[in-house]
Amino acid sequence: AEDENWLPYTKTSAYSPFWDDITWVGYFGQQLKEILATGKARVQGIDYFGRAGVTYPSKAVLGFNPRLQPQGCGFGHTGSVVFGENIDPLALLGFLGSKPVEYLLSLFIGELQGKAGVHPNHYEVGTIQRIPWPGLKSETVEALRHSAAGCVAAVRKLHHLDEPTRNFVSPLVDSRGGIRENTRLAVQIEQISLEEICSRRSVADGLVADSYGFEVNDRSELEAAFSNRIPPSEGRWRMYFERSGSDI
């Protein structure tokens, strides 16, 4: 039987924009008696536990990478959550996951990326709160929601082949094929999914840039900053950095 005192728990994790598997659980029963008994806990935001929102790692080398926080989760400082008062969580994700927002954050903290092996970027709650809200038209909100929903679905599809994740289905794409054929098909799925993510994010980028009233020079500076990013040396998100260069 499920125990409602145990909740999936959002913490920091590897770079994974739009969606990441939640692998932790936390015991939040007995009015946090066991957690507070450590003498080191400073639990905040309990009233918001269980609400859907947008979570993000507080530290990241590769850059800001918000992802959907599903309903029914707890969270901590290293995986803080943004909640919208009058906006759907997916639409909020589309907004926060856009390049214009990531670019504005880089102006606050001084750089778009951290330095591997030296220091990551720090995305503190106060920094996220500084993001100016542009005011979004209803049609823009719906388009952002649609964009983010597609990105989330594409990342979750990638997890179908990842055994440690909740969305795992099988290590094989085609049970009738051999290792070579399944490897080829897996790479193909990864490429298609990442191309879709880049395409959908590009739509959100344009919508958010328009909402902020970015001029030609603003967009050029944004694109120059993103074109100078250093992609990860390996892994599926390398393609994401290479393909999401300039589309605004």
Side-chain angles (χ1 to χ4, degrees):
E2 293 185 3
D3 186 342
E4 63 182 13
N5 293 315
W6 287 90
L7 293 176
Y9 181 64
T10 306
K11 290 190 62 173
T12 190
S13 63
Y15 186 88
S16 184
F18 301 106
W19 176 262
D20 193 26
D21 201 37
I22 300 174
T23 57
W24 293 78
V25 293
Y27 184 77
F28 298 97
Q30 302 181 44
Q31 289 75 50
L32 306 178
K33 178 180 178 181
E34 293 186 8
I35 293 177
L36 296 175
T38 64
K40 300 178 180 179
R42 186 167 174 261
V43 185
Q44 301 183 72
I46 299 297
D47 293 342
Y48 288 89
F49 277 23
R51 286 183 54 178
V54 178
T55 183
Y56 57 92
S58 62
K59 297 179 182 179
V61 171
L62 293 175
F64 189 54
N65 62 119
R67 64 283 297 259
L68 183 67
Q69 169 92 342
Q71 289 183 337
C73 296
F75 55 90
H77 173 69
T78 59
S80 299
V81 184
V82 181
F83 300 101
E85 290 297 328
N86 299 299
I87 186 172
D88 180 270
L90 279 170
L92 182 60
L93 175 62
F95 170 76
L96 291 173
S98 69
K99 285 197 290 186
V101 167
E102 186 173 356
Y103 178 66
L104 288 174
L105 283 174
S106 75
L107 301 181
F108 297 154
I109 63 179
E111 51 196 345
L112 198 61
Q113 288 183 300
K115 293 180 174 61
V118 180
H119 66 83
N121 280 354
H122 290 253
Y123 299 101
E124 301 295 343
V125 172
T127 304
I128 305 305
Q129 289 175 333
R130 291 180 62 192
I131 299 172
W133 183 251
L136 302 173
K137 298 177 181 178
S138 58
E139 57 268 29
T140 300
V141 170
E142 178 57 27
L144 288 172
R145 190 200 67 78
H146 182 73
S147 171
C151 289
V152 170
V155 179
R156 296 185 72 168
K157 185 174 182 179
L158 292 176
H159 287 185
H160 288 178
L161 300 173
D162 291 350
E163 190 170 352
T165 69
R166 299 186 187 196
N167 293 117
F168 172 69
V169 175
S170 169
L172 302 176
V173 180
D174 184 352
S175 60
R176 298 167 298 178
I179 294 177
R180 184 185 298 275
E181 177 62 10
N182 272 279
T183 299
R184 184 188 69 79
L185 292 172
V187 170
Q188 185 179 67
I189 289 174
E190 193 166 275
Q191 290 176 337
I192 293 172
S193 296
L194 286 168
E195 285 173 359
E196 180 175 1
I197 293 168
C198 292
S199 176
R200 288 182 179 275
R201 191 199 193 192
S202 177
V203 172
D205 293 341
L207 291 168
V208 175
D210 289 343
S211 296
Y212 275 125
F214 276 24
E215 301 290 345
V216 173
N217 288 343
D218 300 322
R219 296 171 193 246
S220 296
E221 290 180 10
L222 182 155
E223 294 300 352
F226 274 84
S227 66
N228 289 326
R229 290 185 307 174
I230 300 174
S233 59
E234 58 183 4
R236 64 170 50 125
W237 293 108
R238 181 174 177 83
M239 184 191 301
Y240 178 69
F241 277 70
E242 293 172 345
R243 297 289 180 87
S244 63
S246 49
D247 291 307
I248 291 184

Coordinates of all heavy atoms in Angstrom, one line a residue, residues 6-43:
W6 N 5.4 9.4 2.6 CA 6.6 9.3 1.7 C 6.2 10.0 0.4 O 5.3 9.7 -0.3 CB 7.0 7.9 1.4 CG 7.6 7.2 2.6 CD1 7.0 6.5 3.6 CD2 9.0 7.2 2.9 NE1 7.9 6.0 4.5 CE2 9.2 6.4 4.1 CE3 10.2 7.7 2.3 CZ2 10.4 6.2 4.7 CZ3 11.4 7.5 2.9 CH2 11.5 6.8 4.1
L7 N 7.1 11.0 0.0 CA 6.8 11.7 -1.3 C 8.0 11.6 -2.2 O 9.2 11.6 -1.7 CB 6.5 13.2 -1.0 CG 5.3 13.5 -0.2 CD1 5.2 15.0 0.1 CD2 4.0 13.1 -1.0
P8 N 7.8 11.6 -3.5 CA 9.0 11.8 -4.4 C 9.6 13.2 -4.0 O 8.9 14.1 -3.7 CB 8.3 11.8 -5.8 CG 7.0 11.1 -5.6 CD 6.6 11.4 -4.2
Y9 N 10.9 13.2 -4.1 CA 11.6 14.4 -3.5 C 12.5 15.0 -4.6 O 13.4 14.3 -5.1 CB 12.4 14.0 -2.3 CG 13.1 15.1 -1.6 CD1 12.4 16.2 -1.1 CD2 14.5 15.1 -1.5 CE1 13.1 17.2 -0.4 CE2 15.2 16.1 -0.9 CZ 14.5 17.1 -0.3 OH 15.2 18.1 0.3
T10 N 12.3 16.2 -4.9 CA 13.1 16.9 -5.9 C 14.4 17.4 -5.3 O 14.4 18.2 -4.4 CB 12.4 18.1 -6.6 OG1 11.1 17.6 -7.0 CG2 13.2 18.7 -7.7
K11 N 15.6 17.0 -5.9 CA 16.9 17.5 -5.5 C 17.6 17.9 -6.8 O 17.1 17.8 -7.9 CB 17.7 16.4 -4.8 CG 17.2 16.1 -3.4 CD 18.2 15.2 -2.7 CE 19.5 15.9 -2.5 NZ 20.4 15.1 -1.6
T12 N 18.8 18.4 -6.6 CA 19.6 18.7 -7.8 C 20.0 17.5 -8.6 O 19.9 16.4 -8.0 CB 20.9 19.5 -7.4 OG1 21.5 20.0 -8.6 CG2 21.8 18.6 -6.7
S13 N 20.2 17.6 -9.8 CA 20.6 16.4 -10.7 C 21.4 16.9 -11.9 O 21.7 18.1 -12.0 CB 19.3 15.7 -11.1 OG 18.5 16.5 -11.9
A14 N 21.7 15.9 -12.7 CA 22.5 16.3 -13.9 C 21.7 17.1 -14.9 O 20.4 17.2 -14.7 CB 22.9 15.0 -14.6
Y15 N 22.4 17.8 -15.8 CA 21.7 18.7 -16.8 C 20.6 17.9 -17.5 O 20.9 16.9 -18.1 CB 22.8 19.2 -17.7 CG 22.2 20.2 -18.7 CD1 22.2 21.6 -18.4 CD2 21.7 19.9 -19.9 CE1 21.7 22.5 -19.3 CE2 21.3 20.8 -20.8 CZ 21.2 22.1 -20.5 OH 20.8 23.1 -21.4
S16 N 19.4 18.4 -17.5 CA 18.3 17.7 -18.2 C 17.1 18.7 -18.3 O 16.2 18.7 -17.4 CB 17.9 16.5 -17.5 OG 16.9 15.8 -18.2
P17 N 17.1 19.6 -19.3 CA 16.1 20.6 -19.4 C 14.7 19.9 -19.7 O 14.6 18.9 -20.3 CB 16.5 21.5 -20.5 CG 17.5 20.7 -21.3 CD 18.2 19.8 -20.3
F18 N 13.7 20.6 -19.2 CA 12.3 20.2 -19.4 C 11.8 19.0 -18.6 O 10.6 19.1 -18.1 CB 12.0 20.0 -20.9 CG 12.3 21.2 -21.7 CD1 13.4 21.3 -22.6 CD2 11.5 22.4 -21.6 CE1 13.7 22.5 -23.3 CE2 11.8 23.5 -22.4 CZ 12.9 23.6 -23.2
W19 N 12.6 18.0 -18.4 CA 12.1 16.9 -17.6 C 13.3 16.1 -17.1 O 14.3 15.9 -17.8 CB 11.2 15.9 -18.4 CG 10.8 14.7 -17.7 CD1 11.4 13.5 -17.7 CD2 9.8 14.6 -16.7 NE1 10.8 12.6 -16.9 CE2 9.8 13.3 -16.2 CE3 8.8 15.5 -16.2 CZ2 8.9 12.8 -15.3 CZ3 7.9 15.1 -15.3 CH2 7.9 13.7 -14.8
D20 N 13.2 15.6 -15.9 CA 14.2 14.7 -15.4 C 13.5 13.7 -14.4 O 12.6 14.1 -13.8 CB 15.4 15.4 -14.7 CG 16.6 14.5 -14.4 OD1 16.7 13.6 -15.2 OD2 17.3 14.8 -13.5
D21 N 14.0 12.5 -14.4 CA 13.4 11.5 -13.5 C 13.7 11.9 -12.1 O 14.8 12.4 -11.7 CB 14.0 10.2 -13.8 CG 13.2 9.0 -13.3 OD1 11.9 9.1 -13.5 OD2 13.7 8.0 -12.9
I22 N 12.6 11.8 -11.2 CA 12.8 12.1 -9.8 C 13.1 10.8 -9.1 O 12.2 9.9 -9.0 CB 11.5 12.7 -9.3 CG1 11.2 14.0 -10.0 CG2 11.6 13.0 -7.8 CD1 9.9 14.7 -9.6
T23 N 14.3 10.6 -8.6 CA 14.8 9.3 -8.1 C 14.8 9.3 -6.6 O 15.1 8.2 -6.0 CB 16.2 9.0 -8.6 OG1 17.1 10.1 -8.3 CG2 16.2 8.9 -10.1
W24 N 14.5 10.4 -5.9 CA 14.6 10.4 -4.4 C 13.2 10.4 -3.9 O 12.2 10.8 -4.5 CB 15.2 11.7 -4.0 CG 16.7 11.8 -4.3 CD1 17.2 12.1 -5.5 CD2 17.8 11.6 -3.4 NE1 18.6 12.2 -5.4 CE2 19.0 11.8 -4.1 CE3 17.9 11.3 -2.0 CZ2 20.2 11.7 -3.6 CZ3 19.2 11.1 -1.5 CH2 20.3 11.4 -2.2
V25 N 13.1 9.9 -2.6 CA 11.8 10.0 -1.9 C 12.2 10.5 -0.5 O 13.3 10.3 0.0 CB 11.1 8.6 -1.7 CG1 10.6 8.2 -3.1 CG2 12.0 7.6 -1.1
G26 N 11.3 11.1 0.2 CA 11.5 11.7 1.5 C 10.3 11.4 2.4 O 9.2 11.3 2.0
Y27 N 10.6 11.2 3.7 CA 9.6 10.9 4.7 C 9.2 12.2 5.4 O 10.0 12.8 6.0 CB 10.1 9.9 5.7 CG 9.0 9.5 6.7 CD1 8.0 8.6 6.3 CD2 9.0 10.0 8.0 CE1 7.0 8.3 7.2 CE2 8.0 9.7 8.9 CZ 7.0 8.8 8.5 OH 6.0 8.5 9.4
F28 N 8.0 12.7 5.1 CA 7.6 14.0 5.6 C 6.4 13.8 6.6 O 5.6 14.7 6.8 CB 7.2 14.9 4.5 CG 8.3 15.2 3.6 CD1 8.5 14.5 2.4 CD2 9.3 16.2 3.9 CE1 9.6 14.7 1.5 CE2 10.3 16.4 3.0 CZ 10.5 15.7 1.9
G29 N 6.3 12.7 7.2 CA 5.2 12.4 8.2 C 5.5 12.9 9.6 O 6.6 13.5 9.8
Q30 N 4.6 12.8 10.5 CA 4.7 13.2 11.9 C 5.2 14.7 12.0 O 6.0 15.0 12.9 CB 5.7 12.3 12.6 CG 5.3 10.8 12.6 CD 6.2 9.9 13.3 OE1 6.7 10.3 14.4 NE2 6.6 8.8 12.7
Q31 N 4.6 15.5 11.2 CA 5.0 17.0 11.3 C 6.5 17.2 11.2 O 7.1 18.0 11.8 CB 4.4 17.6 12.5 CG 2.9 17.8 12.6 CD 2.2 16.5 12.8 OE1 2.5 15.8 13.8 NE2 1.2 16.2 12.0
L32 N 7.1 16.4 10.3 CA 8.6 16.5 10.1 C 9.4 16.1 11.3 O 10.6 16.5 11.4 CB 8.9 17.9 9.5 CG 8.2 18.4 8.3 CD1 8.6 19.8 8.0 CD2 8.3 17.4 7.2
K33 N 8.8 15.4 12.2 CA 9.5 15.1 13.5 C 10.9 14.5 13.2 O 11.9 14.9 13.8 CB 8.7 14.2 14.3 CG 9.3 13.8 15.7 CD 8.4 12.9 16.4 CE 9.0 12.4 17.7 NZ 8.2 11.5 18.5
E34 N 11.0 13.5 12.3 CA 12.2 12.8 12.1 C 13.3 13.7 11.4 O 14.4 13.6 11.7 CB 12.0 11.5 11.3 CG 11.1 10.5 12.1 CD 11.0 9.2 11.4 OE1 11.7 9.0 10.3 OE2 10.2 8.3 11.9
I35 N 12.8 14.5 10.5 CA 13.7 15.4 9.8 C 14.3 16.4 10.7 O 15.5 16.7 10.7 CB 13.0 16.0 8.6 CG1 12.6 15.0 7.5 CG2 13.9 17.1 8.0 CD1 11.9 15.5 6.3
L36 N 13.4 17.0 11.5 CA 13.8 18.1 12.4 C 14.7 17.6 13.5 O 15.5 18.3 14.1 CB 12.6 18.8 13.0 CG 11.7 19.6 11.9 CD1 10.5 20.1 12.6 CD2 12.5 20.7 11.3
A37 N 14.6 16.3 13.8 CA 15.4 15.7 14.9 C 16.9 15.7 14.6 O 17.7 15.5 15.5 CB 14.9 14.2 15.2
T38 N 17.3 15.8 13.3 CA 18.7 15.8 13.0 C 19.3 17.1 13.5 O 20.6 17.2 13.7 CB 18.9 15.8 11.5 OG1 18.3 17.0 10.9 CG2 18.2 14.6 10.9
G39 N 18.5 18.1 13.7 CA 19.1 19.4 14.2 C 19.7 20.2 13.1 O 20.2 21.3 13.4
K40 N 19.7 19.7 11.9 CA 20.3 20.5 10.8 C 19.3 20.9 9.7 O 19.7 21.6 8.8 CB 21.4 19.6 10.1 CG 22.5 19.1 11.1 CD 23.5 18.2 10.3 CE 24.6 17.8 11.3 NZ 25.6 16.9 10.6
A41 N 18.1 20.4 9.9 CA 17.1 20.7 8.8 C 16.5 22.1 9.0 O 16.2 22.5 10.1 CB 16.0 19.6 8.9
R42 N 16.2 22.7 7.9 CA 15.5 24.0 7.9 C 14.5 23.9 6.7 O 14.7 24.4 5.6 CB 16.5 25.2 7.7 CG 15.8 26.5 7.8 CD 16.9 27.6 7.9 NE 16.3 28.9 7.8 CZ 16.2 29.7 6.7 NH1 16.7 29.2 5.6 NH2 15.7 30.9 6.7
V43 N 13.4 23.1 7.0 CA 12.5 22.8 5.9 C 11.6 24.0 5.7 O 11.0 24.5 6.6 CB 11.6 21.6 6.3 CG1 10.7 21.2 5.2 CG2 12.6 20.4 6.6

